[in-house]
Amino acid sequence: MAYLWLVWYHASSKMSPKHWALAVTYELNERAYATFYQILADGNGMGQFVPNVMRRVHLIATHGDQAYEGKLLLGEILDNVVGALEMYSESAADMVNSQNRKRGVGETNCQDWTMIIIRSLEDAQLLPKGTLAKAERCPRVG
């Protein structure tokens, strides 16, 4: 059994969005090593993102230059779900990028990507009912 976490980081300013990522651990220890799933800007300035996976990172580690701020345990997940997270990540990144092409640069971000994945896992009954509602209450700005 693995554990799925929502992790967020300090924002660069009080008006900036916090960076959100999903992390998988096999322990409930804060110093546990995790595999992080996230999207990162592709660098072209058009509000497009690419999925990124980082392995063997401490659950509460700094992300780039952003200090760790908090986390929420989303639930226990089976190994087959862990194996499918990269596919979920890629699909959610495509959805975020599609929305940004329609709406405008950067209107949809890593938080939306995270919520798409959580909603999908909850709808498939791979996370407990109410997980999405708990995640929606996590801090988003500054």
Side-chain angles (χ1 to χ4, degrees):
M1 194 63 66
Y3 303 97
L4 183 64
W5 304 84
L6 170 60
V7 182
W8 56 92
Y9 300 87
H10 285 284
S12 57
S13 74
K14 291 209 181 265
M15 299 306 292
S16 298
K18 295 178 184 296
H19 179 69
W20 283 13
L22 294 173
V24 174
T25 65
Y26 286 93
E27 302 173 33
L28 287 174
N29 178 341
E30 286 193 343
R31 297 298 300 162
Y33 283 101
T35 299
F36 276 78
Y37 299 85
Q38 62 186 345
I39 56 172
L40 300 173
D42 71 358
N44 70 8
M46 300 301 292
Q48 300 295 290
F49 296 93
V50 293
N52 175 269
V53 178
M54 295 185 319
R55 301 186 195 299
R56 295 207 36 89
V57 177
H58 284 290
L59 182 59
I60 60 171
T62 296
H63 174 75
D65 61 353
Q66 294 175 297
Y68 164 85
E69 184 173 314
K71 66 184 178 336
L72 171 69
L73 177 61
L74 298 172
E76 294 180 351
I77 56 174
L78 300 172
D79 281 339
N80 62 341
V81 176
V82 175
L85 274 176
E86 285 191 50
M87 178 193 66
Y88 276 96
S89 177
E90 291 170 7
S91 295
D94 288 344
M95 293 173 77
V96 165
N97 289 333
S98 173
Q99 287 300 314
N100 281 342
R101 280 190 291 275
K102 290 178 192 172
R103 291 189 199 159
V105 174
E107 281 198 35
T108 308
N109 60 28
C110 61
Q111 295 168 5
D112 300 300
W113 169 88
T114 304
M115 299 307 271
I116 290 167
I117 295 172
I118 294 169
R119 178 179 290 114
S120 297
L121 293 173
E122 186 176 327
D123 287 350
Q125 299 179 351
L126 299 171
L127 283 174
K129 188 172 179 76
T131 302
L132 181 65
K134 287 193 305 187
E136 287 174 335
R137 291 189 296 270
C138 293
R140 293 177 176 251
V141 178

